[in-house]
Amino acid sequence: MKILDWNTLTDLEQAQALRRPALAQGGREAQVADIIAKVRQGGDAALIELTRTLDKAERDTLQLTQAEIDAASERVSDELKAAIDLAMANIETFHRAQLPTPIVQETSPGVHCELHFQPIEKVGLYVPGGTAPLVSTVMMLAIPARLAGCERVVLCSPPPINDAIIYTAGRCGVDAIYTLGGAQAVAAMAYGSETITKVDKIFGPGNTWVTEAKRQVSGDVDGAAIDMPAGPSEVLVIADADADADFVAADLLSQAEHGTDSQVILVTPCTALADKVNVALDQQLAQLSRAEIARQALLESRTFICSDLAQAVQISNTYAPEHLIVQTADSRALLPRLKNAGSIFLGAWTPESVGDYASGTNHTLPTYGYSRTYSSLGLADYQRRFTVQELTPAGLRAIGPAVELLAATETLDAHKNAVSLRLAKLEKQTVEKQA
Amino acid sequence: MKILDWNTLTDLEQAQALRRPALAQGGREAQVADIIAKVRQGGDAALIELTRTLDKAERDTLQLTQAEIDAASERVSDELKAAIDLAMANIETFHRAQLPTPIVQETSPGVHCELHFQPIEKVGLYVPGGTAPLVSTVMMLAIPARLAGCERVVLCSPPPINDAIIYTAGRCGVDAIYTLGGAQAVAAMAYGSETITKVDKIFGPGNTWVTEAKRQVSGDVDGAAIDMPAGPSEVLVIADADADADFVAADLLSQAEHGTDSQVILVTPCTALADKVNVALDQQLAQLSRAEIARQALLESRTFICSDLAQAVQISNTYAPEHLIVQTADSRALLPRLKNAGSIFLGAWTPESVGDYASGTNHTLPTYGYSRTYSSLGLADYQRRFTVQELTPAGLRAIGPAVELLAATETLDAHKNAVSLRLAKLEKQTVEKQA
């Protein structure tokens, strides 16, 4: 990786060095809009036809039968099933801890305000296809949906769906699995068809077709909401002289192997470590099956030499990484100052891969600087918050006059009148009682 | 209001009766994009020029001085100040109760997972101008920002800014008040200028210019996030024979007076009540300063006669109203079945106006059916959630093999290697200790 001395860079050079490459939009807008229109008009028949032409897969039906799910599950090894169970247990434990408690607060005597939580009724999960079966994505998307209490949880993945994905979806309580990929899958979940349930919100990663389709359906009030904006995966590692260069290199590579557009940044006050990491990268790269992808990603990656850990924290806060790994003598000491990261991994024994699979945290995280404003995926994304209020007559008497004056100030007579009528009635009742 | 018997409508007629009118987009896309481009290029000079041409206001500076704030505050009556103080206290109490506690969970022995919360650093609030000074909007947007711990809170409102808005912004701890309105205000907050702070997220209502500008800047990664999609305000009232027709009519009108596009729906099993409400509407309308607006809104409004309260609940859940008022003999009994509402008002003594101003709940709510997936504005919207994990050597030993297998299944060698290297080192340490 290219090594840059942060403090020799001008402000502009620093900003450019932290700038992410422009997102490949792929000019898919019109093509995706066309697919969505076809799905809305043609329903199941259009979906089957699109799957035939785009995925080169012949299927008469879209939904997997229970027999297909059972058969696929039998083909999954017991060893893999045990690993899935272990990961599921941790993910469940951490997401169950996020179940909210309603807030009940008397703000003034007789003025009762409440904050309640409800599951989003129907959710759709998208799991990309390709050579690698993304078992972890199924767990990360489906487990919080079930815990949140969503009534219907459906999953789309392009054909042929890997056995492990089918098994995991079944284990996580997904209600229906559809063999559908790409923009047509997103369109089907957003608008529904004879077979596919229309959902309220769509979760999950995908290629540029999927991302563009999610963008389009989320902009349509008749479509569906989405989890968060998408971007390439990225990691920033803060390490000091105390860090193990092999571990740092392995963590950087586990990000770089995701895709040629993955972003990998090392920030360290220790030049010797930076050099050792570069040596370790070369050694480890040679062993990887996805070495070519990782090598390409590393071309765009950078090591910054900073003056101290305080400056490393500043650089990380400015970059706002999806994953932030801290391998320093006392990594937890930095935590209070760390901002704008999707998920933080503390210490030598916490590689990013544990969070990707099995520690319990969710691996669906805001990328591309969105961690400044967006949250890591959690139970809250599968629920909605709403407020409730109930006033007693005494409560209305106490705050009513203030409401009347504020409404009058905003020249909203009817708002005022809704209070005045009630206060007059209460007054009349009091007078009648006294008489 | 037109009275329809729900059970005589076909499914299609029911769906059409609950369908909201299409949103007026106003074809502003290109005009707004042009304003945004001007602001990004021209900075303060462009903002001053746009304010001169669009708002017909001559100002050399954009930010109010402390002297201007003090002078405006002195002109606000003590009575109004007291009403603002009362409302502020309740809003603060309810939003303070929403301050989250970090979650710390050991998912497996030695595997520590945490969920933390941080304020979004810089937020921008938009308060519309016009004849009515929206004092309540200032409180609803600024109080949670301060409680959440946002470092910088700025506010834009078109000139001339009403004294009461200036006073309230000062009271709520807003750091800077800018005399800027429309798309140019949104652009200024999203991208910054010499005077205006670039913010991370923009909150607040506005006309079609503001709404379109918020849509555009939120779609740009260099822009700013926004609170929620916008739509016309709306209320649905569920009432039974027990309800006071005058109260119901007043509540319907307090929605109808917002704008000609406001949506107002009454659902009741009691035909007699529906008739009485129509009589009361006529009587009350005559007294309103905004009678013409309300009358227009009522033209598009409907009363549905349903068979019972269970069906009323179903209709409301399908419509997903922004505001839901329940005036029935036992309104709280319906609460567990009520879904998809932004804020719920229970009982005869809880008009919508108390929530608009002073009960303590936030009046910024998802409209246009978005309450199916979006939440009522709360403290959570001013913060971001992120996860932290830290494993002990024992923790890594416990879950490491499962991570290795899952990574191998997903053909992500480097992910696996990041664990394998560490497990090997732990193994070596153990052997060395034993030796």
Side-chain angles (χ1 to χ4, degrees), chain B residues 227-380:
Chain B
D227 45 1
M228 62 180 81
S233 197
E234 59 201 22
V235 71
L236 187 145
V237 178
I238 297 177
D240 63 9
D242 204 63
D244 183 310
D246 289 331
F247 294 0
V248 172
D251 292 342
L252 295 172
L253 286 172
S254 71
Q255 196 57 47
E257 76 173 342
H258 267 302
T260 54
D261 58 355
S262 290
Q263 287 266 302
V264 172
I265 295 177
L266 170 61
V267 186
T268 178
C270 176
T271 312
L273 179 82
D275 293 332
K276 276 193 274 182
V277 167
N278 269 351
V279 172
L281 282 172
D282 279 342
Q283 287 171 350
Q284 292 181 26
L285 254 176
Q287 339 253 320
L288 296 182
S289 59
R290 298 164 71 97
E292 211 30 65
I293 291 172
R295 207 182 304 274
Q296 283 240 8
L298 289 181
L299 285 179
E300 288 297 316
S301 300
R302 296 164 292 279
T303 296
F304 296 118
I305 307 295
C306 55
S307 30
D308 52 23
L309 289 178
Q311 189 175 49
V313 167
Q314 273 173 28
I315 295 170
S316 175
N317 289 350
T318 303
Y319 180 71
E322 180 191 13
H323 303 96
L324 169 57
I325 300 177
V326 187
Q327 278 198 47
T328 58
D330 183 1
S331 55
R332 190 165 277 274
L334 298 187
L335 186 57
R337 282 181 284 159
L338 291 170
K339 287 183 198 172
N340 305 340
S343 192
I344 300 177
F345 300 76
L346 295 180
W349 309 110
T350 318
E352 189 205 298
S353 11
V354 297
D356 288 337
Y357 293 106
S359 65
T361 60
N362 207 295
H363 79 193
T364 311
L365 302 168
T367 55
Y368 213 75
Y370 283 112
S371 66
R372 287 186 198 94
T373 45
Y374 286 83
S375 295
S376 70
L377 196 76
L379 196 97

Side-chain angles (χ1 to χ4, degrees), chain A residues 26 56 58 76 87 93 101-102 111 135 177-178 181 223 228 237 304 307-308 335 356 364 369:
Chain A
K56 317 289 176 214
E58 301 279 351
V76 175
T93 301
T101 315
V111 180
V135 170
I177 304 170
Y178 305 119
M228 63 179 81
V237 178
F304 296 118
S307 31
D308 51 24
L335 187 56
D356 288 338
T364 312

Side-chain angles (χ1 to χ4, degrees), chain A residues 104-391:
Chain A
V104 177
Q105 178 77 43
E106 193 170 6
T107 54
S108 289
V111 180
H112 301 271
C113 293
E114 303 166 24
L115 185 71
H116 290 265
F117 302 85
Q118 259 174 0
I120 293 172
E121 275 186 58
K122 304 190 193 91
V123 298
L125 317 179
Y126 187 81
V127 177
T131 46
L134 298 179
V135 170
S136 58
T137 306
V138 179
M139 296 190 283
M140 296 296 174
L141 300 179
I143 291 171
R146 273 287 155 246
L147 285 172
C150 300
E151 278 174 32
R152 189 161 172 85
V153 182
V154 305
L155 183 148
C156 284
S157 195
I161 312 186
N162 181 284
D163 291 339
I165 287 185
I166 297 172
Y167 166 74
T168 310
R171 276 286 282 145
C172 293
V174 168
D175 294 310
I177 304 170
Y178 305 119
T179 50
L180 265 180
Q184 60 273 26
V186 174
M189 292 194 282
Y191 299 102
S193 75
E194 299 90 324
T195 301
I196 318 286
T197 313
K198 171 179 171 34
V199 303
D200 301 305
K201 193 169 181 180
I202 297 173
F203 297 78
N207 59 19
T208 51
W209 296 88
V210 170
T211 301
E212 174 59 20
K214 281 174 71 184
R215 197 188 66 78
Q216 289 191 18
V217 303
S218 68
D220 177 9
V221 68
D222 294 324
I226 61 170
D227 45 2
M228 63 179 81
S233 197
E234 60 201 21
V235 71
L236 187 145
V237 178
I238 297 176
D240 62 10
D242 203 63
D244 183 310
D246 289 331
F247 295 1
V248 172
D251 291 344
L252 294 171
L253 286 172
S254 70
Q255 195 57 46
E257 75 172 344
H258 267 302
T260 54
D261 57 356
S262 290
Q263 287 265 303
V264 172
I265 295 177
L266 170 62
V267 186
T268 179
C270 176
T271 312
L273 180 83
D275 292 334
K276 276 193 274 182
V277 167
N278 269 351
V279 173
L281 282 172
D282 279 342
Q283 287 171 350
Q284 293 180 26
L285 253 176
Q287 339 254 321
L288 296 182
S289 58
R290 298 163 72 96
E292 211 28 66
I293 291 171
R295 208 182 303 274
Q296 283 241 5
L298 289 182
L299 286 179
E300 288 298 315
S301 299
R302 296 164 292 279
T303 296
F304 296 118
I305 307 295
C306 56
S307 31
D308 51 24
L309 289 178
Q311 190 176 49
V313 166
Q314 273 174 28
I315 295 170
S316 176
N317 289 351
T318 304
Y319 181 70
E322 180 192 12
H323 303 97
L324 170 56
I325 300 178
V326 187
Q327 279 196 48
T328 57
D330 183 2
S331 55
R332 190 164 279 274
L334 298 187
L335 187 56
R337 281 181 286 159
L338 291 170
K339 288 185 198 171
N340 305 340
S343 192
I344 300 177
F345 300 76
L346 295 180
W349 310 110
T350 319
E352 189 205 298
S353 11
V354 299
D356 288 338
Y357 292 106
S359 65
T361 60
N362 206 295
H363 78 194
T364 312
L365 302 168
T367 55
Y368 212 74
Y370 282 113
S371 66
R372 287 186 198 94
T373 45
Y374 285 83
S375 296
S376 71
L377 196 76
L379 197 97
D381 296 294
Y382 294 83
Q383 296 196 324
R384 31 178 304 278
R385 308 182 309 272
F386 63 99
T387 51
V388 173
Q389 53 242 289
E390 184 172 18
L391 271 62

Side-chain angles (χ1 to χ4, degrees), chain B residues 36-331:
Chain B
I36 292 174
K38 279 190 179 133
V39 172
R40 292 186 74 172
Q41 279 160 26
D44 280 359
L47 290 168
I48 288 168
E49 176 61 19
L50 285 164
T51 303
R52 205 177 55 76
T53 52
L54 299 177
D55 292 311
K56 316 287 175 215
E58 301 280 352
R59 271 189 75 95
D60 296 338
T61 57
L62 297 167
Q63 185 172 348
L64 291 190
T65 62
Q66 191 57 47
E68 286 176 299
I69 297 171
D70 293 344
S73 301
E74 271 183 37
R75 290 190 292 265
V76 175
S77 74
D78 287 344
E79 200 190 359
L80 183 56
K81 284 179 180 169
I84 290 167
D85 278 354
L86 182 147
M88 278 184 66
N90 286 349
I91 296 166
E92 273 182 18
T93 301
F94 186 58
H95 286 77
R96 192 185 301 280
Q98 296 170 34
L99 277 167
T101 315
I103 293 170
V104 177
Q105 179 76 44
E106 192 171 7
T107 55
S108 290
V111 180
H112 301 270
C113 294
E114 303 166 25
L115 186 71
H116 291 265
F117 302 84
Q118 260 175 359
I120 292 172
E121 276 187 57
K122 304 191 193 90
V123 298
L125 317 179
Y126 187 81
V127 177
T131 47
L134 298 179
V135 170
S136 58
T137 305
V138 180
M139 296 190 283
M140 296 297 175
L141 300 179
I143 291 171
R146 273 285 156 247
L147 285 172
C150 300
E151 278 174 32
R152 188 160 172 85
V153 182
V154 305
L155 183 148
C156 283
S157 194
I161 313 186
N162 181 283
D163 291 339
I165 287 185
I166 297 172
Y167 166 74
T168 310
R171 275 286 282 144
C172 293
V174 167
D175 295 309
I177 304 171
Y178 305 119
T179 51
L180 265 180
Q184 59 274 25
V186 174
M189 292 194 282
Y191 299 102
S193 75
E194 297 91 325
T195 301
I196 317 286
T197 312
K198 170 178 171 39
V199 303
D200 301 304
K201 193 169 180 179
I202 297 173
F203 297 78
N207 60 18
T208 51
W209 296 87
V210 170
T211 301
E212 174 60 21
K214 281 175 71 184
R215 195 187 68 76
Q216 290 189 19
V217 303
S218 68
D220 177 8
V221 69
D222 293 324
I226 61 170
D227 45 1
M228 62 180 81
S233 197
E234 59 201 22
V235 71
L236 187 145
V237 178
I238 297 177
D240 63 9
D242 204 63
D244 183 310
D246 289 331
F247 294 0
V248 172
D251 292 342
L252 295 172
L253 286 172
S254 71
Q255 196 57 47
E257 76 173 342
H258 267 302
T260 54
D261 58 355
S262 290
Q263 287 266 302
V264 172
I265 295 177
L266 170 61
V267 186
T268 178
C270 176
T271 312
L273 179 82
D275 293 332
K276 276 193 274 182
V277 167
N278 269 351
V279 172
L281 282 172
D282 279 342
Q283 287 171 350
Q284 292 181 26
L285 254 176
Q287 339 253 320
L288 296 182
S289 59
R290 298 164 71 97
E292 211 30 65
I293 291 172
R295 207 182 304 274
Q296 283 240 8
L298 289 181
L299 285 179
E300 288 297 316
S301 300
R302 296 164 292 279
T303 296
F304 296 118
I305 307 295
C306 55
S307 30
D308 52 23
L309 289 178
Q311 189 175 49
V313 167
Q314 273 173 28
I315 295 170
S316 175
N317 289 350
T318 303
Y319 180 71
E322 180 191 13
H323 303 96
L324 169 57
I325 300 177
V326 187
Q327 278 198 47
T328 58
D330 183 1
S331 55

